């Protein structure tokens, strides 16, 4: 059986994973900048594209969506078993409810009204009524789902005897079987939850990706036990990125030119292959090339979660500030992104400087 093994690394994985979180957070901001000016108007403030460059932004959204939130869930799963073992069941659950639940409530009650105020300007109803009817966690749906996954892990773990780390290589056949299995489950799931579905109140913008999110969280937990992050060989990095490109070139066009169940299966297969390939490729590249951090990197990583929470406020404000600018969609996207990144981290720094904030954030 072919395996993917490498000598154990002597450097901690923490810096590499923290640097990945920084990049993924940047992708979240870029994603929502693209939605602002593209043709997929699923954001608090949008200016639908009036030119062909909007299609470029739509392509960015499609490729981003295929893997980046699944990657976030995998990273969360990677640190979940160790956190549970260090704290025990009660402290683990309390910690997850505090560190995830409080930011979720703060966003819902305080920040959400600022982010979705543009919607109120377009309706004719009392604000208190709009406040209740527009109840939606926005991008904090990720935290909402992560709370459920963490509680599910705690419940499952309470039924099992303690287990230590058991390093074992990740095999290529296992990766292929996982991709195929995820594709099948996703295609079946989408019979019940079609692409484009939305769950109001809970605010799940992509419930048709739930099989990927759940499986990536679970794989992250298993990867911690098996030491997969540390043991993937160097060749898995470039091979994963190449396979991501191949899957996009072959499977994505096929899903676009077919219809019905065939298109759904091919689309699910592309998303699964692309996501797994990108995650493996980027994990190895960052472990080998970006496994250290200076003061700037530490600053960015320490504030990344807070940036995720506050970035809608920044993007909506920039949307209004740039509304009179006459430019093609991709140019306005670029301007917003360049301005948003430093502003998001600056606002996150200000928030984390508040008394007691660092205990949660």
């Amino acid at each position: 059986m072919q395996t993917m093994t490498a000598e154990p690394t002597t450097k901690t994985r923490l810096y590499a994973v923290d640097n990945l979180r920084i990049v993924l957070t940047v992708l979240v901001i870029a994603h929502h900048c693209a939605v602002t000016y593209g043709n997929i108007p699923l954001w608090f403030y949008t200016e639908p594209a009036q030119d062909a460059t909007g299609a470029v932004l739509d392509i960015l959204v499609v490729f981003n969506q295929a893997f980046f939130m699944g990657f976030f869930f995998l990273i969360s799963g990677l640190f979940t078993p160790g956190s549970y073992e260090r704290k025990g069941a009660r402290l683990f659950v309390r910690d997850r409810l505090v560190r995830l639940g409080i930011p979720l409530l703060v966003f819902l009650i305080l920040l959400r009204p600022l982010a979705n105020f543009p919607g109120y300007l377009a309706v004719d109803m009392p604000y208190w009524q709009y406040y209740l009817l527009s109840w939606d966690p926005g991008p904090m749906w990720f935290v909402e789902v992560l709370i459920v996954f963490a509680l599910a892990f705690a419940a499952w773990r309470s039924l099992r005897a303690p287990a230590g780390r058991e390093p074992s290589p990740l095999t290529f056949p296992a990766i292929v079987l996982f991709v195929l299995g995820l594709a099948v489950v996703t295609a079946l799931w989408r019979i019940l939850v079609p692409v484009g579905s939305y769950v109001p109140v809970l605010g799940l913008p992509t419930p048709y990706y739930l099989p990927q999110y759940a499986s990536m969280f679970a794989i992250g937990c298993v990867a911690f036990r098996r030491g997969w992050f540390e043991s993937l060989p160097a060749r898995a990095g470039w091979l994963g990125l190449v396979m991501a490109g191949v899957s996009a070139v072959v499977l994505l066009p096929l899903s676009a030119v077919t219809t019905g169940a065939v298109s759904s299966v091919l689309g699910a297969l592309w998303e699964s292959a692309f996501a797994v390939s990108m995650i493996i490729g980027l994990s190895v590249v960052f472990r080998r090339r970006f496994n250290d951090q200076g003061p700037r990197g530490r600053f960015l990583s320490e504030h990344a979660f807070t940036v995720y929470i506050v970035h809608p406020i920044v993007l909506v404000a920039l949307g209004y500030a740039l509304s009179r600018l006459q430019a093609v969609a991709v140019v306005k996207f670029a301007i917003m992104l360049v301005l948003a990144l430093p502003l998001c981290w600056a606002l996150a720094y200000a928030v984390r400087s508040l008394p007691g904030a660092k205990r949660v954030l």
Side-chain angles (χ1 to χ4, degrees):
M1 177 179 293
Q2 183 179 359
T3 61
M4 306 180 74
T5 60
E7 69 282 357
T9 179
T10 58
K11 297 185 69 174
T12 177
R13 71 184 182 198
L14 181 60
Y15 293 141
V17 176
D18 278 352
N19 290 333
L20 277 167
R21 288 175 58 244
I22 295 170
V23 171
L24 289 174
T25 302
V26 171
L27 285 180
V28 168
I29 297 173
H31 188 90
H32 291 139
C33 289
V35 172
T36 298
Y37 295 114
N39 300 296
I40 308 174
L42 299 175
W43 188 238
F44 298 110
Y45 175 90
T46 61
E47 292 182 25
Q50 302 298 317
D51 57 86
T53 65
V56 176
L57 302 180
D58 297 339
I59 292 172
L60 171 62
V61 169
V62 169
F63 278 84
N64 247 356
Q65 189 64 64
F67 85 98
F68 76 144
M69 295 311 297
F71 206 168
F72 263 128
F73 280 111
L74 185 143
I75 290 174
S76 299
L78 186 64
F79 290 104
T80 295
S83 178
Y84 183 93
E85 291 170 2
R86 289 192 306 272
K87 299 170 183 175
R90 178 175 296 182
L91 287 179
F92 171 81
V93 170
R94 187 177 71 179
D95 178 76
R96 293 299 86 192
L97 291 177
V98 168
R99 291 184 174 273
L100 299 176
I102 290 179
L104 175 61
L105 289 176
V106 168
F107 183 89
L108 282 168
I109 296 171
L110 299 178
L111 300 184
R112 174 184 60 90
L114 298 176
N116 69 7
F117 191 75
Y120 173 65
L121 300 177
V123 299
D124 183 19
M125 66 175 66
Y127 181 73
W128 67 265
Q129 186 177 1
Y130 175 76
Y131 181 90
L132 295 176
L133 293 177
S134 63
W135 190 268
D136 187 296
M140 292 297 283
W141 69 266
F142 166 70
V143 173
E144 191 177 62
V145 174
L146 191 55
I147 291 173
V148 174
F149 287 171
L151 295 179
F153 175 87
W156 173 81
R157 186 64 181 75
S158 67
L159 302 176
R160 296 176 58 87
R165 300 192 70 180
E166 301 176 355
S168 62
L170 178 62
T171 65
F172 182 74
I175 295 173
V176 173
L177 287 176
F178 175 78
V179 169
L180 294 176
L182 177 58
V184 170
V185 172
T186 299
L188 293 175
W189 174 256
R190 288 177 180 175
I191 296 175
L192 301 175
V193 186
V195 173
S197 298
Y198 171 77
V199 180
V201 182
L202 292 178
L204 299 183
T206 54
Y208 42 94
Y209 273 96
L210 279 176
Q212 183 191 108
Y213 301 155
S215 63
M216 288 300 178
F217 180 84
I219 286 295
C221 295
V222 175
F224 169 81
R225 299 288 185 197
R226 303 296 175 85
W228 288 342
F229 185 84
E230 300 91 337
S231 63
L232 282 168
R235 71 177 184 277
W238 63 263
L239 183 60
L241 297 179
V242 168
M243 291 306 299
V246 170
S247 68
V249 170
V250 175
L251 295 175
L252 188 56
L254 286 176
S255 68
V257 300
T258 53
T259 59
V262 174
S263 178
S264 178
V265 170
L266 288 172
L269 181 58
W270 169 70
E271 291 167 359
S272 302
F274 184 79
V276 171
S277 299
M278 285 293 291
I279 289 171
I280 290 175
L282 290 175
S283 295
V284 173
V285 168
F286 273 71
R287 191 196 71 205
R288 290 176 55 81
R289 303 293 184 183
F290 305 101
N291 199 22
D292 53 18
Q293 246 180 27
R296 293 177 183 176
R298 285 194 295 273
F299 175 85
L300 294 175
S301 64
E302 287 172 356
H303 294 81
F305 179 51
T306 309
V307 166
Y308 185 93
I309 297 170
V310 303
H311 82 276
I313 308 301
V314 174
L315 297 191
V316 170
L318 285 175
Y320 274 107
L322 298 173
S323 61
R324 294 184 179 275
L325 176 64
Q326 299 297 317
V328 297
V330 73
V331 171
K332 296 194 75 169
F333 158 81
I335 294 173
M336 174 179 277
L337 181 60
V338 169
L339 294 174
L341 292 176
L343 288 174
C344 284
W345 259 272
L347 180 57
Y349 173 78
V351 170
R352 293 187 78 243
S353 298
L354 295 174
K358 291 182 180 178
R359 295 180 182 178
V360 177
L361 302 172

